[in-house]
Amino acid sequence: MISKIFAGLLLLCVSGFGVAHAQAGATPKGVVELFTSQGCRSCPPADRALESLIRQGDVVALAYHVDYWNYMGWADTLASKENTARQYAYARSFGRSGVYTPQAVINGREQVKGTDAAVMNQRLETLDTSGSGLNVDVDATMRGDELSIKIGSGRGKADVVVVYFQRRRDVDVLKGENQGKTITYWNSVTDVQTVGMWHGGDLEVVLPAKLMKGDKSDGCAILLQASNAKGEPSAILGATVLIAP
């Protein structure tokens, strides 16, 4: 639908999925950020493709619901203006004049149509082979009332970004282009916060764990993400994901 204009991956059981066991020292294949909408007729296949990536257990996969299709008769119940703003920031970073759904951003470095899991896997593998994969260790653990994020050493500088999400939401779409469908959404983003700056050395950031245990989120991804000269999101250097107990 065209618009108008982990190192340290924690693999846990997600409700409805089989158990994926963590591997010590495992590094996620990469990060896929899907920009989607309940009001977009082209998006349900992309939502299923994202679910497929999550089932693999080796990809940090996130769904950002955007709000610019709400005028077509159905207001996306998971959308936010912040998610839309992130997609437009990526468009500027890529030198694009507009946005669309379903769009998938791969490792913060490139974009593809988000309907084909095989294509997204292939792009992740190509980026990794070319040295543009996840090269910095990222780990996250819950310790009582604290969320500890540890970043390893590497080259460059980047933001430590926490992306909070809801693991599963079943939505009855009552109007719009997907009227009458019940669609299951996974890893729907509810908030994105920059919590620190990494300058190439080992770093630990400690946050209140209660931020992951409210009604708005039951999991989070930690992205180590560089910015371009204008401050727009760019290459993701490391990532992991954590599910609240």
Side-chain angles (χ1 to χ4, degrees), residues 1 34 52 78 87 120 144-145 156 171 213 217 233 236 244:
M1 186 173 189
L34 175 68
S52 175
L78 300 171
Q87 188 181 24
M120 291 185 280
D145 60 356
V171 177
K213 297 180 180 179
S217 67
I236 295 174

Side-chain angles (χ1 to χ4, degrees), residues 55-220:
R55 286 182 181 273
Q56 283 180 204
D58 61 356
V59 176
V60 177
L62 302 164
Y64 296 79
H65 286 247
V66 298
D67 63 359
Y68 49 80
W69 296 120
N70 287 356
Y71 79 97
M72 294 186 67
W74 176 254
D76 190 308
T77 60
L78 300 171
S80 72
K81 62 182 181 181
E82 290 80 11
N83 289 349
T84 300
R86 184 167 176 84
Q87 188 181 24
Y88 273 97
Y90 269 130
R92 293 190 296 271
S93 183
F94 297 147
R96 297 178 61 90
S97 60
V99 295
Y100 67 94
T101 55
Q103 181 188 41
V105 175
I106 312 296
N107 284 0
R109 296 177 181 268
E110 60 180 49
Q111 65 85 36
V112 298
K113 187 176 181 181
T115 52
D116 192 329
V119 169
M120 291 185 280
N121 270 313
Q122 188 274 327
R123 294 310 307 153
L124 289 169
E125 291 164 3
T126 299
L127 286 171
D128 185 54
T129 300
S130 67
S132 297
L134 306 185
N135 301 313
V136 180
D137 291 350
V138 178
D139 186 40
T141 55
M142 301 280 284
R143 300 188 311 217
D145 60 356
E146 294 180 345
L147 169 60
S148 172
I149 300 168
K150 293 184 178 180
I151 312 293
S153 60
R155 301 178 62 182
K157 66 177 182 178
D159 294 326
V160 181
V161 180
V162 182
V163 182
Y164 295 95
F165 59 80
Q166 297 176 330
R167 286 184 290 172
R168 174 176 177 164
R169 289 295 181 270
D170 298 313
V171 177
D172 296 323
V173 182
L174 304 179
K175 299 179 181 178
E177 294 191 335
N178 291 314
Q179 181 177 1
K181 296 181 180 179
T182 298
I183 305 175
T184 299
Y185 296 102
W186 294 95
N187 291 9
S188 302
V189 171
T190 59
D191 194 15
V192 180
Q193 298 181 5
T194 299
V195 299
M197 174 67 77
W198 175 81
H199 293 278
D202 292 344
L203 175 68
E204 181 176 12
V205 178
V206 179
L207 303 173
K210 64 182 179 181
L211 295 175
M212 268 185 56
K213 297 180 180 179
D215 294 335
K216 290 188 64 176
S217 67
D218 48 17
C220 71

Side-chain angles (χ1 to χ4, degrees), residues 39-62:
C40 158
R41 71 160 60 97
S42 303
C43 285
D47 301 319
R48 292 192 293 271
L50 189 81
E51 177 182 348
S52 175
L53 294 176
I54 296 170
R55 286 182 181 273
Q56 283 180 204
D58 61 356
V59 176
V60 177
L62 302 164

